[in-house]
Amino acid sequence: MKFLVTGAAGFIGYHLSKALLARGDTVVGIDNINAYYDINLKLDRLKELNNTAGHQNFTFLKLDLSNQADIDQLFSNHTFDRVCHLGAQAGVRYSIDNPRAYINSNIVGFMNILENCRQHNVAHLAYASSSSVYGANKVQPFSEQHNVDHPVSLYAATKKSNELMAHTYSSLYQLPTTGLRFFTVYGPWGRPDMAPILFAEGICKGKAIKVFNHGDMSRDFTYIDDIVEGIIRVTDRIPTPNTKWSSSNPDPSSSYAPYKIYNIGNNEPVRLLDFIETMEKAFNKKAIKNMMPIQPGDVPSTYADVSALIADTGFQPTTSLTTGITEFASWYANYYKDKQ
């Protein structure tokens, strides 16, 4: 099949594109290569894609999602069987100081994708949501059945908005859409603004790492290969209307329209201090910890209920933290050996 992957130079977009190419699909990847973090990492991911199996089926275009004319032209030039929309302005904390970047990329950009999927009869749009939509919720594990109307960051609000916008298009135009709520993704080629690389850099250089909420936090850390497998399984499964959906007792994760929401997480939250200890073992070096209060927009804990993903696709993330961190540490040591 022919896929459009937005955010192809990003962490998840790179890995998804690589997996699709390896199984024989054709991929058109787009990204605006913005300077939110080191653009050289993004360019190196693209180099890897051009060297991977099936690279002859990969086309990259530098485009900005918020530019309607460019996205319209993209869809006029190509016919896509599937669209995997992973491009977005990422980062919970960055959204507090740079709110307009999130509206332009995550709202306006998503609108441009939706409109073109509608106009060009794309068979299935799968898009990245986030575990951050659970916001102030306390009941865990977080389930797609839970209400998510209390976000605690603008980033989370834009992701919840994406789910609402997608439902509207599924309802009005019968566009099949699936939202994927990712839980704390980590692994090789990860983002340098996220904890694994920040911790790895601190540990390797003997610098103090910031441990927020004084370490009293836990995350459902999910290895990148599990995330990609989940995306592919879900993307291959076009959603259909839920014939049992009831307007008097509405299921938030499905609809009378071809619309679906899934969590993709490891279903096993890890204490932040245990995560750091696992990294210390992988690098064979102790971390210097600077205990800090919780940051605005952060939540103390995340924990994914993945029963719907298992029931519908037969897939459950299984990569252990030790295995995932070992793979990450090996990549980090190799990639950054000449960059520090």
Side-chain angles (χ1 to χ4, degrees), residues 9-11 31-47 89 94 189-194 197-198 201 205 331-332 335-336 338-340:
F11 175 32
D31 201 295
N32 67 355
I33 318 288
N34 69 21
Y36 170 63
Y37 62 80
D38 183 12
I39 64 170
N40 290 315
L41 178 59
K42 300 178 182 181
L43 295 175
D44 285 343
R45 291 181 186 134
L46 291 176
K47 289 178 184 176
Q89 178 57 59
Y94 188 74
W189 296 98
R191 283 175 21 211
D193 62 314
M194 294 186 71
I197 288 187
L198 292 173
E201 182 179 23
K205 293 183 177 181
W331 167 81
Y332 179 90
Y335 181 77
Y336 284 101
D338 298 322
K339 297 179 173 63
Q340 297 182 344

Side-chain angles (χ1 to χ4, degrees), residues 111-338:
M111 180 69 208
N112 290 334
I113 293 296
L114 280 171
E115 259 300 285
N116 276 285
C117 286
R118 173 182 79 86
Q119 293 176 8
H120 295 274
N121 298 312
V122 170
H124 188 193
L125 165 63
Y127 61 95
S129 185
S130 168
S131 61
S132 67
V133 301
Y134 290 104
N137 290 17
K138 297 295 184 184
V139 176
Q140 294 191 358
F142 293 144
S143 167
E144 302 96 333
Q145 305 296 317
H146 294 165
N147 177 288
V148 289
D149 288 341
H150 298 88
V152 295
S153 70
L154 185 65
Y155 170 71
T158 62
K159 290 299 185 178
K160 169 61 177 174
S161 298
N162 287 170
E163 295 179 2
L164 295 173
M165 294 164 71
H167 184 270
T168 302
Y169 270 67
S170 294
S171 177
L172 286 176
Y173 308 115
Q174 298 302 299
L175 172 66
T177 66
T178 302
L180 304 170
R181 294 174 179 170
F182 300 140
F183 281 70
T184 317
V185 190
Y186 75 100
W189 296 98
R191 283 175 21 211
D193 62 314
M194 294 186 71
I197 288 187
L198 292 173
F199 289 169
E201 182 179 23
I203 291 170
C204 291
K205 293 183 177 181
K207 296 181 178 180
I209 62 173
K210 295 178 181 180
V211 182
F212 292 105
N213 205 34
H214 306 283
D216 187 19
M217 300 183 78
S218 64
R219 288 289 182 269
D220 205 343
F221 292 100
T222 312
Y223 190 61
I224 183 62
D225 288 0
D226 287 332
I227 290 288
V228 167
E229 180 66 21
I231 295 171
I232 290 175
R233 294 279 191 108
V234 168
T235 302
D236 286 345
R237 186 180 188 278
I238 299 176
T240 57
N242 179 1
T243 57
K244 297 181 180 179
W245 193 89
S246 169
S247 58
S248 60
N249 186 26
D251 168 16
S253 71
S254 67
S255 176
Y256 55 86
Y259 168 90
K260 189 65 180 173
I261 297 289
Y262 291 103
N263 289 335
I264 304 184
N266 208 45
N267 191 228
E268 188 177 346
V270 174
R271 292 176 62 248
L272 185 58
L273 293 177
D274 292 338
F275 182 82
I276 294 169
E277 182 180 349
T278 305
M279 292 199 70
E280 290 174 329
K281 291 178 180 177
F283 287 102
N284 196 29
K285 192 174 182 181
K286 284 290 184 179
I288 303 169
K289 305 179 189 73
N290 182 12
M291 297 299 185
M292 307 278 288
I294 195 168
Q295 288 195 306
D298 261 355
V299 295
S301 177
T302 64
Y303 177 10
D305 178 346
V306 294
S307 56
L309 180 71
I310 297 169
D312 289 352
T313 70
F315 174 70
Q316 178 176 7
T318 57
T319 304
S320 70
L321 185 68
T322 299
T323 299
I325 289 298
T326 299
E327 290 295 319
F328 164 77
S330 176
W331 167 81
Y332 179 90
N334 181 65
Y335 181 77
Y336 284 101
K337 64 183 177 183
D338 298 322

